[in-house]
Amino acid sequence: MHVSGSCHCGVIKIEAEAEEELAGICHCTDCQVLSGSAFRGGVQALRKTMTVAGKPKTYVKVAERGRRRLHAFCPDCATPLYADDPEAKTPFVSLRIGFLDQRDQLVPQVQTWRRSALPWSSRLAEIPALEKDDFASLAVSVRSE
């Protein structure tokens, strides 16, 4: 499927052909730290179809097994964009689902590094939900009880 998106501030725009059946969630501790969240969503896209307008900043990390991964993000707003093999030995890049316009259509098909998952992540549906950000009001109400 054709996907497109831009970083939060709009400086970087990306388009590509993604393999929607290769959408997933990674629970590894590196993804937790690099995303600032409990896990990271990604979808594989063919590198040769990807176009990037703007110049992302990159960072190369070394994974547990010694594999090097290039991480690209916006230099201004820090939106995570994609991960890639720095030597381009594989035909795919891993686009970060969050910045894509089609994120609602990219349903994860697999979870990786589940051994590192935060214990509460498997019960998200059980945690009370607010339709909008009213967390500050909730915090005030809890503290006043």
Side-chain angles (χ1 to χ4, degrees):
M1 87 183 283
H2 184 78
V3 295
S4 59
S6 65
C7 63
H8 193 263
C9 70
V11 168
I12 310 286
K13 295 180 182 358
I14 294 177
E15 293 190 33
E17 293 301 319
E19 305 293 326
E20 57 192 304
E21 67 278 5
L22 296 179
I25 293 172
C26 182
H27 293 277
C28 80
T29 55
D30 285 346
C31 281
Q32 290 174 20
V33 172
L34 289 166
S35 70
S37 186
F39 48 81
R40 185 194 320 251
V43 64
Q44 300 298 305
L46 288 167
R47 179 183 300 101
K48 68 182 180 183
T49 68
M50 187 170 81
T51 60
V52 179
K55 182 156 177 52
K57 185 163 176 62
T58 60
Y59 165 73
V60 176
K61 75 159 185 96
V62 179
E64 182 177 301
R65 295 185 191 155
R67 189 169 132 193
R68 296 177 43 163
R69 296 292 289 163
L70 179 140
H71 290 264
F73 53 96
C74 175
D76 293 337
C77 68
T79 299
L81 302 166
Y82 61 88
D84 195 5
D85 173 354
E87 289 145 22
K89 292 180 182 175
T90 65
F92 292 102
V93 297
S94 180
L95 297 177
R96 304 311 183 201
I97 290 175
F99 85 94
L100 295 172
D101 299 327
Q102 299 77 16
R103 61 186 161 267
D104 61 328
Q105 299 168 49
L106 296 165
V107 179
Q109 303 298 308
V110 67
Q111 296 182 57
T112 59
W113 287 97
R114 188 73 191 141
R115 74 175 193 200
S116 301
L118 297 177
W120 52 262
S121 66
S122 61
R123 53 183 227 47
L124 286 175
E126 300 167 26
I127 298 172
L130 304 171
E131 291 301 316
K132 289 189 168 190
D133 179 16
D134 198 20
F135 196 73
S137 296
L138 179 64
V140 167
S141 134
V142 167
R143 286 194 175 151
S144 65
E145 291 177 1

Tab-separated table of all heavy atoms in Angstrom, residues 5-14 34 40 52-59 70-83 96 99:
chain	number	residue	atom	x	y	z
A	5	GLY	N	3.562	10.526	4.943
A	5	GLY	CA	3.460	11.184	6.230
A	5	GLY	C	4.527	12.240	6.383
A	5	GLY	O	5.408	12.381	5.541
A	6	SER	N	4.398	12.988	7.455
A	6	SER	CA	5.402	14.002	7.754
A	6	SER	C	5.631	14.033	9.255
A	6	SER	O	4.807	13.568	10.041
A	6	SER	CB	4.953	15.377	7.246
A	6	SER	OG	3.802	15.808	7.941
A	7	CYS	N	6.752	14.594	9.623
A	7	CYS	CA	7.068	14.741	11.038
A	7	CYS	C	6.103	15.747	11.657
A	7	CYS	O	5.333	16.401	10.943
A	7	CYS	CB	8.519	15.193	11.202
A	7	CYS	SG	8.847	16.824	10.491
A	8	HIS	N	6.149	15.905	12.946
A	8	HIS	CA	5.215	16.774	13.656
A	8	HIS	C	5.298	18.220	13.176
A	8	HIS	O	4.279	18.887	13.018
A	8	HIS	CB	5.469	16.692	15.164
A	8	HIS	CG	4.377	17.287	15.971
A	8	HIS	ND1	4.438	18.567	16.461
A	8	HIS	CD2	3.187	16.781	16.358
A	8	HIS	CE1	3.328	18.824	17.129
A	8	HIS	NE2	2.555	17.751	17.086
A	9	CYS	N	6.494	18.719	12.912
A	9	CYS	CA	6.646	20.113	12.487
A	9	CYS	C	6.549	20.297	10.975
A	9	CYS	O	6.511	21.425	10.494
A	9	CYS	CB	7.958	20.690	13.014
A	9	CYS	SG	9.458	20.032	12.254
A	10	GLY	N	6.514	19.198	10.204
A	10	GLY	CA	6.342	19.283	8.755
A	10	GLY	C	7.617	19.465	7.953
A	10	GLY	O	7.554	19.586	6.729
A	11	VAL	N	8.779	19.454	8.586
A	11	VAL	CA	10.051	19.654	7.882
A	11	VAL	C	10.415	18.452	7.011
A	11	VAL	O	10.973	18.611	5.930
A	11	VAL	CB	11.181	19.957	8.901
A	11	VAL	CG1	12.552	19.881	8.264
A	11	VAL	CG2	10.957	21.317	9.514
A	12	ILE	N	10.075	17.224	7.462
A	12	ILE	CA	10.401	16.000	6.733
A	12	ILE	C	9.107	15.371	6.225
A	12	ILE	O	8.155	15.196	6.990
A	12	ILE	CB	11.118	14.967	7.638
A	12	ILE	CG1	12.295	15.590	8.379
A	12	ILE	CG2	11.518	13.729	6.839
A	12	ILE	CD1	13.512	15.861	7.546
A	13	LYS	N	9.084	15.003	4.943
A	13	LYS	CA	7.942	14.301	4.350
A	13	LYS	C	8.459	13.036	3.686
A	13	LYS	O	9.497	13.056	3.034
A	13	LYS	CB	7.238	15.179	3.335
A	13	LYS	CG	6.595	16.413	3.964
A	13	LYS	CD	5.898	17.265	2.937
A	13	LYS	CE	5.283	18.526	3.475
A	13	LYS	NZ	5.318	18.861	4.825
A	14	ILE	N	7.724	11.932	3.882
A	14	ILE	CA	8.158	10.646	3.341
A	14	ILE	C	6.985	9.962	2.651
A	14	ILE	O	5.847	10.031	3.129
A	14	ILE	CB	8.722	9.732	4.454
A	14	ILE	CG1	10.005	10.349	5.020
A	14	ILE	CG2	8.980	8.312	3.946
A	14	ILE	CD1	10.625	9.573	6.164
A	34	LEU	N	14.158	4.594	22.724
A	34	LEU	CA	14.205	5.468	21.552
A	34	LEU	C	12.854	6.087	21.201
A	34	LEU	O	12.804	7.158	20.614
A	34	LEU	CB	14.753	4.702	20.338
A	34	LEU	CG	16.243	4.388	20.411
A	34	LEU	CD1	16.627	3.350	19.370
A	34	LEU	CD2	17.067	5.653	20.241
A	40	ARG	N	7.172	0.231	20.148
A	40	ARG	CA	7.203	1.030	18.925
A	40	ARG	C	6.531	0.251	17.809
A	40	ARG	O	6.765	-0.944	17.651
A	40	ARG	CB	8.642	1.341	18.535
A	40	ARG	CG	8.697	2.276	17.352
A	40	ARG	CD	10.022	2.408	16.662
A	40	ARG	NE	11.211	2.449	17.448
A	40	ARG	CZ	11.963	3.542	17.619
A	40	ARG	NH1	11.603	4.687	17.126
A	40	ARG	NH2	13.076	3.455	18.295
A	52	VAL	N	12.188	10.861	0.343
A	52	VAL	CA	12.286	11.677	1.545
A	52	VAL	C	12.525	13.122	1.120
A	52	VAL	O	13.480	13.414	0.412
A	52	VAL	CB	13.460	11.201	2.448
A	52	VAL	CG1	13.569	12.067	3.689
A	52	VAL	CG2	13.305	9.731	2.815
A	53	ALA	N	11.625	14.003	1.547
A	53	ALA	CA	11.806	15.440	1.327
A	53	ALA	C	12.256	16.028	2.659
A	53	ALA	O	11.579	15.882	3.675
A	53	ALA	CB	10.504	16.079	0.869
A	54	GLY	N	13.412	16.670	2.661
A	54	GLY	CA	14.011	17.165	3.890
A	54	GLY	C	15.176	16.271	4.267
A	54	GLY	O	15.398	15.225	3.649
A	55	LYS	N	15.915	16.668	5.263
A	55	LYS	CA	17.100	15.893	5.661
A	55	LYS	C	16.966	15.445	7.110
A	55	LYS	O	17.192	16.228	8.037
A	55	LYS	CB	18.366	16.729	5.469
A	55	LYS	CG	19.623	15.962	5.814
A	55	LYS	CD	20.823	16.516	5.123
A	55	LYS	CE	22.112	15.836	5.486
A	55	LYS	NZ	22.145	14.424	5.382
A	56	PRO	N	16.630	14.150	7.316
A	56	PRO	CA	16.554	13.647	8.687
A	56	PRO	C	17.933	13.585	9.343
A	56	PRO	O	18.950	13.484	8.658
A	56	PRO	CB	16.011	12.223	8.528
A	56	PRO	CG	15.505	12.130	7.140
A	56	PRO	CD	16.253	13.148	6.334
A	57	LYS	N	17.944	13.656	10.637
A	57	LYS	CA	19.155	13.391	11.413
A	57	LYS	C	19.167	11.884	11.645
A	57	LYS	O	18.112	11.261	11.723
A	57	LYS	CB	19.094	14.141	12.731
A	57	LYS	CG	20.363	14.017	13.562
A	57	LYS	CD	20.401	15.087	14.639
A	57	LYS	CE	21.602	14.937	15.540
A	57	LYS	NZ	22.886	15.061	14.889
A	58	THR	N	20.352	11.295	11.726
A	58	THR	CA	20.435	9.849	11.927
A	58	THR	C	21.332	9.515	13.112
A	58	THR	O	22.196	10.296	13.508
A	58	THR	CB	20.970	9.130	10.671
A	58	THR	OG1	22.267	9.620	10.363
A	58	THR	CG2	20.037	9.325	9.488
A	59	TYR	N	21.086	8.335	13.625
A	59	TYR	CA	21.831	7.797	14.754
A	59	TYR	C	21.963	6.297	14.505
A	59	TYR	O	20.983	5.642	14.155
A	59	TYR	CB	21.047	8.063	16.046
A	59	TYR	CG	21.510	7.266	17.236
A	59	TYR	CD1	22.703	7.562	17.882
A	59	TYR	CD2	20.741	6.224	17.730
A	59	TYR	CE1	23.114	6.832	18.985
A	59	TYR	CE2	21.143	5.482	18.839
A	59	TYR	CZ	22.334	5.796	19.450
A	59	TYR	OH	22.748	5.082	20.531
A	70	LEU	N	20.406	2.041	11.632
A	70	LEU	CA	20.393	3.483	11.474
A	70	LEU	C	18.979	3.971	11.805
A	70	LEU	O	18.009	3.484	11.221
A	70	LEU	CB	20.768	3.853	10.045
A	70	LEU	CG	20.772	5.333	9.716
A	70	LEU	CD1	21.953	5.646	8.822
A	70	LEU	CD2	19.479	5.736	9.041
A	71	HIS	N	18.857	4.882	12.729
A	71	HIS	CA	17.563	5.449	13.107
A	71	HIS	C	17.498	6.878	12.599
A	71	HIS	O	18.413	7.671	12.860
A	71	HIS	CB	17.387	5.412	14.627
A	71	HIS	CG	17.204	4.028	15.130
A	71	HIS	ND1	15.976	3.485	15.360
A	71	HIS	CD2	18.098	3.057	15.397
A	71	HIS	CE1	16.106	2.246	15.775
A	71	HIS	NE2	17.399	1.955	15.794
A	72	ALA	N	16.425	7.207	11.886
A	72	ALA	CA	16.254	8.550	11.333
A	72	ALA	C	15.110	9.252	12.048
A	72	ALA	O	14.075	8.654	12.330
A	72	ALA	CB	15.962	8.459	9.837
A	73	PHE	N	15.321	10.532	12.310
A	73	PHE	CA	14.308	11.331	12.989
A	73	PHE	C	14.444	12.781	12.543
A	73	PHE	O	15.460	13.183	11.973
A	73	PHE	CB	14.439	11.201	14.506
A	73	PHE	CG	15.816	11.504	15.035
A	73	PHE	CD1	16.124	12.776	15.520
A	73	PHE	CD2	16.797	10.539	15.056
A	73	PHE	CE1	17.396	13.068	16.003
A	73	PHE	CE2	18.074	10.811	15.540
A	73	PHE	CZ	18.365	12.089	16.011
A	74	CYS	N	13.413	13.579	12.783
A	74	CYS	CA	13.451	14.985	12.402
A	74	CYS	C	14.440	15.731	13.290
A	74	CYS	O	14.396	15.602	14.511
A	74	CYS	CB	12.058	15.603	12.530
A	74	CYS	SG	12.069	17.391	12.203
A	75	PRO	N	15.328	16.546	12.682
A	75	PRO	CA	16.296	17.285	13.490
A	75	PRO	C	15.659	18.422	14.291
A	75	PRO	O	16.261	18.917	15.241
A	75	PRO	CB	17.277	17.833	12.454
A	75	PRO	CG	16.484	17.915	11.190
A	75	PRO	CD	15.506	16.772	11.250
A	76	ASP	N	14.448	18.822	13.924
A	76	ASP	CA	13.795	19.935	14.618
A	76	ASP	C	12.829	19.471	15.705
A	76	ASP	O	12.901	19.918	16.841
A	76	ASP	CB	13.050	20.826	13.624
A	76	ASP	CG	13.998	21.552	12.684
A	76	ASP	OD1	15.182	21.742	13.031
A	76	ASP	OD2	13.558	21.932	11.586
A	77	CYS	N	11.897	18.552	15.368
A	77	CYS	CA	10.879	18.141	16.349
A	77	CYS	C	11.128	16.751	16.924
A	77	CYS	O	10.413	16.319	17.818
A	77	CYS	CB	9.480	18.213	15.741
A	77	CYS	SG	9.161	16.995	14.440
A	78	ALA	N	12.125	16.041	16.427
A	78	ALA	CA	12.557	14.723	16.909
A	78	ALA	C	11.571	13.589	16.634
A	78	ALA	O	11.682	12.518	17.220
A	78	ALA	CB	12.910	14.764	18.391
A	79	THR	N	10.624	13.779	15.725
A	79	THR	CA	9.708	12.698	15.356
A	79	THR	C	10.503	11.519	14.799
A	79	THR	O	11.280	11.679	13.855
A	79	THR	CB	8.696	13.162	14.290
A	79	THR	OG1	7.922	14.231	14.823
A	79	THR	CG2	7.796	12.028	13.838
A	80	PRO	N	10.332	10.300	15.357
A	80	PRO	CA	10.987	9.120	14.779
A	80	PRO	C	10.381	8.817	13.403
A	80	PRO	O	9.151	8.841	13.243
A	80	PRO	CB	10.657	8.003	15.773
A	80	PRO	CG	10.254	8.700	17.037
A	80	PRO	CD	9.613	9.976	16.599
A	81	LEU	N	11.223	8.529	12.411
A	81	LEU	CA	10.758	8.333	11.031
A	81	LEU	C	10.959	6.909	10.530
A	81	LEU	O	10.027	6.306	10.015
A	81	LEU	CB	11.470	9.320	10.103
A	81	LEU	CG	11.276	10.792	10.468
A	81	LEU	CD1	12.270	11.670	9.715
A	81	LEU	CD2	9.843	11.215	10.213
A	82	TYR	N	12.162	6.395	10.627
A	82	TYR	CA	12.425	5.037	10.135
A	82	TYR	C	13.729	4.496	10.706
A	82	TYR	O	14.525	5.230	11.253
A	82	TYR	CB	12.462	4.994	8.602
A	82	TYR	CG	13.531	5.846	7.953
A	82	TYR	CD1	14.812	5.351	7.721
A	82	TYR	CD2	13.245	7.145	7.541
A	82	TYR	CE1	15.782	6.120	7.119
A	82	TYR	CE2	14.217	7.932	6.937
A	82	TYR	CZ	15.474	7.420	6.731
A	82	TYR	OH	16.444	8.195	6.136
A	83	ALA	N	13.885	3.183	10.553
A	83	ALA	CA	15.140	2.511	10.866
A	83	ALA	C	15.584	1.794	9.602
A	83	ALA	O	14.761	1.349	8.803
A	83	ALA	CB	14.962	1.510	12.006
A	96	ARG	N	8.272	4.113	10.850
A	96	ARG	CA	7.568	4.236	12.121
A	96	ARG	C	6.104	4.563	11.821
A	96	ARG	O	5.813	5.522	11.105
A	96	ARG	CB	8.192	5.323	12.996
A	96	ARG	CG	9.682	5.111	13.261
A	96	ARG	CD	9.960	3.707	13.727
A	96	ARG	NE	11.362	3.508	14.062
A	96	ARG	CZ	11.913	2.334	14.104
A	96	ARG	NH1	11.228	1.250	13.816
A	96	ARG	NH2	13.181	2.207	14.438
A	99	PHE	N	4.008	8.389	12.439
A	99	PHE	CA	4.023	9.610	11.636
A	99	PHE	C	3.280	9.451	10.301
A	99	PHE	O	3.067	10.425	9.586
A	99	PHE	CB	5.469	10.098	11.394
A	99	PHE	CG	6.149	9.455	10.213
A	99	PHE	CD1	6.122	10.058	8.966
A	99	PHE	CD2	6.818	8.257	10.359
A	99	PHE	CE1	6.754	9.468	7.879
A	99	PHE	CE2	7.455	7.662	9.281
A	99	PHE	CZ	7.419	8.271	8.039
